[in-house]
Amino acid sequence: MPAATSASDTIRILVATDNHVGFGERDPIRGDDSWRSFHEVLCLAKKHDVDMVLLAGDLFHENKPSRKSMYQVMRSLRMNCYGEKPCELEMLSDGSESLGGFVDAFKSLSICVQLIVAKPRFFSHVNYEDPDINVAIPVFSIHGNHDDPSGEGHLAALDLLQVSGLVNYYGKTPESDNILVKPVLLQKGRTKLALYGMSNVRDERLYRTFRDGKVKFFQPSTQKDNWFNLMSVHQNHHAYTETGYLPENFLPDFMDLVVWGHEHECLIEPRYNPEMSFHVMQPGSSVATSLVPGEAVTKHVAILKVTGKKFECETIQLKTIRPFIMKEIVLRDDPRMVKVSRSSDNRQEITRHLDKIVESLIKEAKAQWLEAQDELDEEDPQAPLPLVRLRVEYTPPENGHFDCENPQRFSNRFVGKVANVNDVVQFHRKKTTNRKAKAGTEMPEQSVMDQMALDTVKVDSLVREFLAAQSLTILPQNSFGDAVSQFVDKDDRHAMELFVEESLKKQVEHLVEMDDGDEDDLANAMDENRSKLEKMFASGHLKKARNAKLKPKPDNWDSDYDGEWADQPGAIIRSEAEDQDEAEEESNLGSVPPKPSNGRGRGRGRGGASTSARNSQATARKTKGSAKPPAKSTKSKRNSVESEGDVEEADVVMIDDDDEADEPPVPRRNGKTATQAPTRAKRNASPKKKLPAQQATLSFSQPATQKGKVNGASKNLQELSDDIISDDDDDDDDAFEPVQAPRRPRAGR
């Protein structure tokens, strides 16, 4: 009986973090590693009959996971977390405060939309209390730095899983400079669990928020000492920079256990912090995302057994993890290699030596994997291709040298034997202290370059170092780095555009408020305002610009064929001034711009004069006061998509100043009329046989429906034909008149 009572009061929690589903999914060898390990984690939860699963961030490797990644996660959740077994956990807190969900999205809608939606369904409760689905093992998760919210609506991939009833997404941080941490209160029997969560915030900003006292933790109002306080965070655990981490002493001391995500090294055994009087557990990642020593540690998950204020931890090794082994050697520490360094050509000897080491590492990795599979029922399990990394320091001894092979060429020797066929070996040298200083700048050592790999460098740090040597006058530096980070890390395509627009707007508003001054005063004012914006951003008073609002996507828009609607230039909602400018540009570009004339004042073809000639002609006609009304007959000559205003503007362009004096129409053999310019008559004084035939060929024939138009239309036809005939007014063009034959298709339009 006591055992049964103890079991009914014990909350069993499977703890995991940093699953990174979708990592390397395009890799032909390692593409399925991430979701296979995540599936094993959920299978262990079902096998050990836990009460809940706790994930401490980075479920997905990207904040916009692929369809394959989303499918595999939803598939594993449905297979292992749904069932007829009732969940024994009781929800005691208000889910709208700790879970949020659809409530936040609904509050952000306009009043009109809220009135249209009849009795909206608030997903403010845990999924196992939903009467429409049967959840046996609930999953509680916070977001990390890889799957954080972004885009329109500030939604994360976890929001999709929550609204579908698969995951309970808690610990949201909608405001980085004012964080309220409210627990999810659960109870089983006599054990009360206060589940705290704080999703990822940029480390420097979170450090500043804690320092300013803007992080507030809430506790249950009754029986505070009877609750087991469990918290999950996703931040840097080590002090990589002065403010680029979360110190443990920033957390409240009433916590009992802190589950630390983001760090991939598996330190699964709880470690006691005597200063804060709580334990810290670091489960590590379930898939190796980089070839570093921390990832080579054996991967585990843990099952917490919480009874009252006490807990126990049971660790379980993951068995579907691809084996990873790493070794570092120093060539000059090997006496045999010291002798080899004395020879002039020692590349082959060094390559054979390293080849043997890699082969031994491959065998060792396979043996370790097979040893972990001893409990499986498979008769002859096939070990996956291992990950092998050999770091080689090839600093030569005195009077010697090491001629090493190209790292990628060496790694390609093990195709079919290892999973990382391009980076098996990594060469680096020690920096010598007696090296003579060179005149120019030197490249950093290989070890420094290794630390500056793409997976460890932060974009905002690079921008800050680059801008340190620059002199910005208008744009604030720290906001600039934040916008670049959003553009690169979060795939926010409009971050830079919004940042520049907002910064310029603030500068203009500041300059407008000033009195008249000289250029030096304006420059000083802009510099002072820029410094003010930087201080406001650093203190958190200047919030980061939200993502651009998008217009509703058309019903007939197909993202698979037409691309993402958010990437289209016309999808962004702009201000009225921007829309007016774009409308003017579109009206000016409604028809194809004509080619400039060659000195006669008339344009080529149907387009008439160039844009500058159009403006001068229109101005001249207004000053004379004898502008002719636009003819309607030319409207059919325009493209069908042009607006009526475009046609009228084109009609005015077709009238030149030379047409002020009415010229009699010249009859043609085919019954059509054309007007010749005086200069053209002079040129026709010299007889040419091909010229009349060419003119008849190039004249634009009018449709039959326009032959019976009034005199105004007929006159416009004459002017149009005049432009056609005067297409080759330059004397230099007479020799190239036969080349005009390709213009025939235009005469038929």
Side-chain angles (χ1 to χ4, degrees):
M1 186 68 180
T5 304
S6 176
S8 61
D9 296 335
T10 301
I11 302 178
R12 297 167 55 85
I13 308 171
L14 188 140
V15 180
T17 183
D18 292 274
N19 305 107
H20 286 275
V21 177
F23 169 76
E25 60 183 349
R26 294 180 178 85
D27 191 301
I29 300 176
R30 306 166 61 185
D32 296 336
D33 289 0
S34 58
W35 69 262
R36 288 182 185 276
S37 60
F38 175 72
H39 182 69
E40 181 188 4
V41 171
L42 294 185
C43 289
L44 289 174
K46 184 177 182 180
K47 176 182 177 181
H48 291 271
D49 193 21
V50 299
D51 294 308
M52 58 177 284
V53 176
L54 179 62
L55 304 178
D58 279 354
L59 172 59
F60 294 98
H61 187 66
E62 298 177 355
N63 61 357
K64 296 179 181 179
S66 64
R67 296 178 183 177
K68 178 183 177 182
S69 300
M70 185 64 72
Y71 167 79
Q72 295 293 351
V73 169
M74 299 179 73
R75 169 180 171 270
S76 298
L77 289 170
R78 286 201 60 179
M79 290 177 60
N80 298 283
C81 297
Y82 282 6
E84 298 294 335
K85 182 181 78 72
C87 182
E88 300 181 17
L89 297 176
E90 182 182 0
M91 179 80 168
L92 302 180
S93 59
D94 185 3
S96 61
E97 296 182 354
S98 54
L99 295 177
F102 185 71
V103 178
D104 297 334
F106 183 78
K107 289 180 180 179
S108 63
L109 298 177
S110 62
I111 300 298
C112 297
V113 177
Q114 294 186 27
L115 294 176
I116 295 175
V117 181
K119 295 182 180 180
R121 181 67 177 276
F122 290 173
F123 298 103
S124 59
H125 55 270
V126 288
N127 59 349
Y128 61 86
E129 291 184 352
D130 195 319
D132 299 328
I133 54 179
N134 293 327
V135 177
I137 303 176
V139 177
F140 291 83
S141 177
I142 62 175
H143 74 251
N145 60 312
H146 281 263
D147 54 1
D148 57 337
S150 64
E152 182 69 18
H154 200 64
L155 298 175
L158 291 176
D159 285 300
L160 302 181
L161 298 180
Q162 181 179 18
V163 78
S164 60
L166 296 171
V167 166
N168 299 297
Y169 177 23
Y170 78 110
K172 301 179 182 180
T173 53
E175 296 182 66
S176 301
D177 55 352
N178 186 23
I179 301 176
L180 304 178
V181 184
K182 298 182 179 181
V184 178
L185 302 181
L186 304 173
Q187 182 175 358
K188 179 183 178 182
R190 292 178 294 180
T191 300
K192 297 178 175 62
L193 175 65
L195 183 61
Y196 292 84
M198 185 171 61
S199 296
N200 177 264
V201 180
R202 196 176 65 179
D203 291 287
E204 292 79 6
R205 179 172 294 180
L206 182 63
Y207 190 99
R208 184 172 60 250
T209 306
F210 267 102
R211 183 192 59 194
D212 297 341
K214 297 296 183 63
V215 181
K216 185 177 181 180
F217 290 81
F218 291 81
Q219 288 186 266
S221 57
T222 59
Q223 301 179 348
K224 295 182 180 180
D225 297 334
N226 295 334
W227 292 85
F228 183 86
N229 301 292
L230 173 62
M231 183 174 185
S232 58
V233 297
H234 193 96
Q235 304 292 151
N236 282 337
H237 201 180
H238 304 287
Y240 298 101
T241 61
E242 293 183 359
T243 60
Y245 75 111
L246 175 62
E248 292 183 3
N249 55 10
F250 277 10
L251 300 177
D253 55 3
F254 62 81
M255 293 293 172
D256 296 300
L257 177 63
V258 178
V259 178
W260 212 288
H262 186 62
E263 299 288 351
H264 284 205
E265 184 179 2
C266 183
L267 303 175
I268 196 70
E269 293 293 338
R271 175 183 56 83
Y272 181 70
N273 186 333
E275 178 185 359
M276 304 304 299
S277 301
F278 56 64
H279 289 79
V280 178
M281 173 192 294
Q282 184 175 301
S285 65
S286 60
V287 62
T289 59
S290 58
L291 303 180
V292 295
E295 296 279 14
V297 181
T298 306
K299 306 292 185 181
H300 291 81
V301 294
I303 295 181
L304 289 178
K305 302 176 183 178
V306 181
T307 305
K309 291 285 291 184
K310 299 181 180 180
F311 74 95
E312 297 178 0
C313 180
E314 176 186 355
T315 61
I316 302 175
Q317 181 180 351
L318 297 177
K319 299 178 180 178
T320 59
I321 304 298
R322 185 177 298 275
F324 175 30
I325 191 168
M326 186 173 181
K327 186 176 183 180
E328 184 170 357
I329 63 173
V330 181
L331 289 181
R332 66 176 181 178
D333 291 347
D334 190 344
R336 181 169 167 270
M337 288 293 102
V338 174
K339 295 180 180 180
V340 172
S341 67
R342 303 289 198 283
S343 60
S344 59
D345 187 9
N346 54 19
R347 174 175 294 189
Q348 293 184 356
E349 289 292 333
I350 297 175
T351 302
R352 281 196 291 266
H353 176 69
L354 299 179
D355 195 307
K356 293 179 182 179
I357 296 178
V358 173
E359 291 289 351
S360 64
L361 292 178
I362 294 175
K363 294 180 181 179
E364 183 180 353
K366 290 184 177 180
Q368 292 178 0
W369 188 87
L370 292 174
E371 183 180 356
Q373 312 301 314
D374 54 355
E375 298 180 2
L376 293 181
D377 297 331
E378 299 181 12
E379 297 180 358
D380 187 15
Q382 183 66 30
L385 297 179
L387 296 171
V388 177
R389 168 56 66 91
L390 177 64
R391 284 178 53 86
V392 180
E393 182 191 325
Y394 67 105
T395 305
E398 294 183 3
N399 301 325
H401 77 286
F402 291 120
D403 186 9
C404 299
E405 191 176 1
N406 178 271
Q408 186 170 358
R409 188 182 301 114
F410 177 84
S411 302
N412 291 339
R413 294 171 177 265
F414 305 97
V415 174
K417 298 181 180 180
V418 298
N420 54 320
V421 295
N422 293 321
D423 50 5
V424 173
V425 67
Q426 184 182 39
F427 295 106
H428 66 99
R429 299 180 62 177
K430 268 190 177 181
K431 185 176 181 180
T432 57
T433 57
N434 57 351
R435 180 179 299 175
K436 295 182 180 181
K438 296 182 181 180
T441 58
E442 298 181 359
M443 293 296 293
E445 292 296 319
Q446 183 65 32
S447 58
V448 179
M449 297 296 294
D450 297 338
Q451 296 177 0
M452 295 178 62
L454 290 179
D455 54 352
T456 59
V457 172
K458 292 186 177 181
V459 177
D460 54 352
S461 301
L462 293 178
V463 174
R464 184 169 58 252
E465 294 175 2
F466 175 78
L467 294 179
Q470 311 298 325
S471 58
L472 295 180
T473 306
I474 300 177
L475 302 178
Q477 176 177 325
N478 47 10
S479 303
F480 187 92
D482 184 76
V484 175
S485 178
Q486 292 293 325
F487 178 80
V488 177
D489 296 336
K490 308 306 179 186
D491 197 19
D492 189 349
R493 295 174 176 84
H494 308 296
M496 294 300 301
E497 178 185 0
L498 295 176
F499 160 70
V500 173
E501 291 179 355
E502 186 69 19
S503 300
L504 294 179
K505 179 182 177 182
K506 292 183 181 297
Q507 285 284 13
V508 171
E509 292 176 353
H510 178 70
L511 295 178
V512 169
E513 296 175 356
M514 291 180 53
D515 297 333
D516 295 338
D518 55 8
E519 295 182 358
D520 295 336
D521 295 338
L522 294 179
N524 295 333
M526 287 189 295
D527 188 67
E528 292 177 359
N529 190 43
R530 176 186 59 81
S531 302
K532 179 182 178 182
L533 294 177
E534 290 179 352
K535 293 180 181 179
M536 292 176 62
F537 183 85
S539 61
H541 293 87
L542 183 63
K543 296 183 179 180
K544 182 184 65 178
R546 294 182 176 271
N547 295 328
K549 295 184 178 180
L550 303 179
K551 299 177 182 178
K553 185 170 69 174
D555 297 336
N556 58 350
W557 187 271
D558 193 339
S559 300
D560 294 334
Y561 294 96
D562 302 328
E564 294 292 337
W565 173 246
D567 298 340
Q568 308 304 316
I572 308 176
I573 298 178
R574 303 180 182 272
S575 61
E576 297 180 358
E578 293 174 341
D579 294 339
Q580 184 176 2
D581 294 341
E582 291 183 358
E584 293 178 358
E585 292 178 2
E586 292 177 359
S587 63
N588 294 334
L589 299 176
S591 59
V592 179
K595 298 181 180 179
S597 61
N598 291 335
R600 290 287 180 175
R602 291 186 181 273
R604 290 185 174 272
R606 297 194 307 169
S610 61
T611 306
S612 60
R614 292 181 182 179
N615 297 334
S616 61
Q617 292 166 7
T619 305
R621 294 193 57 81
K622 288 181 180 180
T623 56
K624 292 181 180 181
S626 58
K628 299 179 182 180
K632 297 181 180 180
S633 59
T634 55
K635 188 173 181 180
S636 61
K637 302 294 293 182
R638 296 290 172 184
N639 194 305
S640 59
V641 299
E642 294 184 1
S643 63
E644 184 176 356
D646 295 334
V647 176
E648 293 178 0
E649 180 184 358
D651 292 339
V652 175
V653 170
M654 297 303 295
I655 302 174
D656 283 339
D657 293 339
D658 297 339
D659 296 331
E660 292 298 331
D662 295 333
E663 298 175 357
V666 179
R668 302 294 299 276
R669 292 182 180 181
N670 55 2
K672 298 176 183 177
T673 61
T675 303
Q676 287 185 335
T679 56
R680 186 63 182 173
K682 295 180 180 180
R683 292 182 58 190
N684 288 340
S686 59
K688 282 191 177 182
K689 296 181 179 180
K690 294 183 179 180
L691 186 59
Q694 184 193 5
Q695 294 174 357
T697 303
L698 292 178
S699 61
F700 291 162
S701 59
Q702 302 297 322
T705 57
Q706 294 187 358
K707 290 184 179 180
K709 292 289 184 179
V710 294
N711 295 335
S714 177
K715 189 170 185 178
N716 195 45
L717 291 176
Q718 297 170 6
E719 294 167 356
L720 181 61
S721 301
D722 185 25
D723 288 338
I724 300 167
I725 295 174
S726 61
D727 187 31
D728 298 313
D729 286 343
D730 290 343
D731 297 336
D732 297 337
D733 295 340
D734 294 341
F736 301 97
E737 287 180 351
V739 185
Q740 299 294 332
R743 298 175 64 87
R744 292 178 182 176
R746 296 183 62 183
R749 285 195 285 180

